[in-house]
Amino acid sequence: MICLLKEGDGRAYQYLYDRYYTLLCAIAYEYMGDRFLSENLVDELIFHLWEKRETLEITASLRSYLMRAIRNRCINALQRERREIAFSSMNANEYEMILSPESGDYPLAVLLENELEGKISQAIENLPPEYRRIFMMSRFENKPYGQIAEETGISVNTVKYYIKNALLRLKDELQVYLK
């Protein structure tokens, strides 16, 4: 199966989902305690394998590799979350005073918010049309992947692929705001 994956055979990609998705989601859930986050981490892992398929070196069994990879992704996500919590440990009043756009005393917050909204809108507009359409249906219309797939006539995995690519492109374009 690894050979097919390296060759870019779509059946290998589908096999990863069919064979390991449920197992990997269960492992991720044990670490994260959040089904949505767990599923996103598994989607990211499988997509990452697909992107890096040509340079992929798996010396253990594919199952062992995937289990270790999802464990590492969960640990990394938990560490990022811990850093975010530490940042947000200032009291609510201090945080609100700094960032609240309602406060006339903090026009910089309003300016920054407007600038960021404009950059996000522009980044979404810069997405390829098919990515933008699927992304908008998912994020702004709150449609589940299955419904998007049905409405657009593409597979659920293709919907996931488009959303994953859209998120990666947005992350790249907006990385200066994510630090």
Side-chain angles (χ1 to χ4, degrees):
M1 191 52 54
I2 295 171
C3 291
L4 290 175
L5 183 65
K6 283 187 168 199
E7 293 170 3
D9 191 320
R11 292 176 297 178
Y13 187 72
Q14 187 64 46
Y15 175 82
L16 289 174
Y17 267 100
D18 293 346
R19 176 92 169 140
Y20 296 108
Y21 186 80
T22 304
L23 170 67
L24 296 174
C25 285
I27 292 168
Y29 182 76
E30 289 297 316
Y31 282 94
M32 306 307 295
D34 180 307
R35 291 206 190 285
F36 180 74
L37 184 56
S38 300
E39 289 174 2
N40 279 344
L41 288 170
V42 172
D43 288 339
E44 287 175 4
L45 170 62
I46 293 174
F47 182 73
H48 178 76
L49 289 177
W50 182 254
E51 282 187 315
K52 302 296 181 189
R53 67 186 175 274
E54 294 170 351
T55 59
L56 199 59
E57 291 298 324
I58 299 177
T59 55
S61 72
L62 181 58
R63 178 186 167 115
S64 296
Y65 178 87
L66 292 170
M67 290 172 64
R68 178 171 290 148
I70 197 61
R71 175 188 165 274
N72 291 341
R73 283 183 177 265
C74 289
I75 290 170
N76 290 341
L78 290 169
Q79 288 173 342
R80 278 191 309 273
E81 185 178 303
R82 219 175 294 131
R83 283 192 300 268
E84 289 170 6
I85 289 171
F87 172 74
S88 65
S89 66
M90 67 176 78
N91 76 43
N93 289 337
E94 291 173 326
Y95 186 74
E96 190 171 314
M97 283 175 53
I98 293 170
L99 297 177
S100 175
E102 292 85 30
S103 172
D105 296 334
Y106 298 96
L108 181 59
V110 175
L111 182 62
L112 291 173
E113 182 179 334
N114 291 339
E115 179 184 349
L116 182 57
E117 283 180 15
K119 295 290 185 184
I120 291 170
S121 295
Q122 186 59 50
I124 291 171
E125 284 300 313
N126 291 343
L127 291 171
E130 65 275 7
Y131 290 9
R132 183 174 53 246
R133 179 176 173 222
I134 300 301
F135 179 80
M136 301 279 287
M137 291 173 81
S138 171
R139 296 306 196 262
F140 296 107
E141 298 174 25
N142 295 319
K143 293 183 179 180
Y145 292 170
Q147 184 179 352
I148 295 170
E150 193 174 297
E151 288 180 17
T152 59
I154 59 177
S155 73
V156 171
N157 284 339
T158 303
V159 169
K160 290 178 181 180
Y161 177 80
Y162 283 173
I163 291 172
K164 176 61 62 192
N165 270 327
L167 290 171
L168 288 171
R169 288 172 184 240
L170 291 173
K171 181 180 174 185
D172 285 345
E173 194 163 333
L174 299 169
Q175 69 184 355
V176 71
Y177 295 98
L178 298 175
K179 293 180 179 184

